[in-house]
Amino acid sequence: MDTIYTDHPVQAAADHLAFAIKDHLAAGNRVLWLLSGGSGINVVLAVSMQLQDIDLSNLYVTLTDERYGPTGHPDENWQQLIDGGMALSGATLYRPLVGENRTTTTDEFGAWLMQQFTAADYTIGLFGVGPDGHTAGVKPHSSAATATAWADSFDSQDFERITITPFAIEQLDEAVIQASGVDKIPALKQLVHESIDIIDQPAQVLKTVPKCTLYTDNKGV
């Protein structure tokens, strides 16, 4: 994993993602891009701006994780991206919430992921790292941390979460991490310098991705 310190980690991560996606699309590749909600929303919106006027017909997009509930509920990551102005005209977009119960929603999300990973020539994901060491929606000691399916769901203290799993993350060609804020320094130090069981710090799985780059403004990491 490469670690890049910058005063502008959001823009640096966005530039990295936009360049990689445009480069692979220009080569005629079918690209799968996994988005991050929460603190990653600003990165996604910046990438979206850079993909304007590009042929996105070979780009397939979904989230790494979602907060379960009715489609369009206030905490839904996808709705927040729409409200923020995400525009990826021509791309195939998959909104994880489909108006079904949580089990069906999770199963359909997992089936879509399996199909797209199989069909893609290049897969790239945007991730964050929480102060507790979680990434995507994979919380420490949750069922998702040990799941062997493409997607999992569980009750967390904050939300009902639907998420890709460490198994799915391991299939990626590339991961880009954007993690800022002093509250994340202990978790990032562990991620960069230690090898910890994934069940204790799920973000460790990102180091299994062949190409992984961390952008952070925390120079103490």
Side-chain angles (χ1 to χ4, degrees), residues 12-96:
D15 290 346
H16 182 138
L17 283 159
F19 177 84
I21 291 168
K22 288 191 286 187
D23 187 51
H24 282 274
L25 289 176
N29 292 331
R30 177 171 172 146
V31 177
L32 173 63
W33 177 28
L34 303 182
L35 313 180
S36 177
S39 62
I41 287 176
N42 287 334
V43 180
V44 174
L45 297 179
V47 175
S48 172
M49 291 295 294
Q50 294 191 49
L51 296 181
Q52 301 298 307
D53 302 321
I54 301 294
D55 180 4
L56 302 181
S57 58
N58 235 6
L59 179 63
Y60 294 75
V61 181
T62 194
L63 286 162
T64 60
D65 64 294
E66 187 55 278
R67 299 152 176 180
Y68 179 71
T71 303
H73 71 86
D75 293 315
E76 183 191 13
N77 286 320
W78 196 271
Q79 187 63 51
Q80 292 178 31
L81 286 166
I82 292 172
D83 293 344
M86 180 180 71
L88 296 168
S89 179
T92 298
L93 310 179
Y94 184 86
R95 187 175 193 161

Side-chain angles (χ1 to χ4, degrees), residues 131-146:
D132 62 354
H134 85 269
T135 194
V138 186
K139 289 282 192 173
H141 306 285
S142 67
S143 62
T146 56

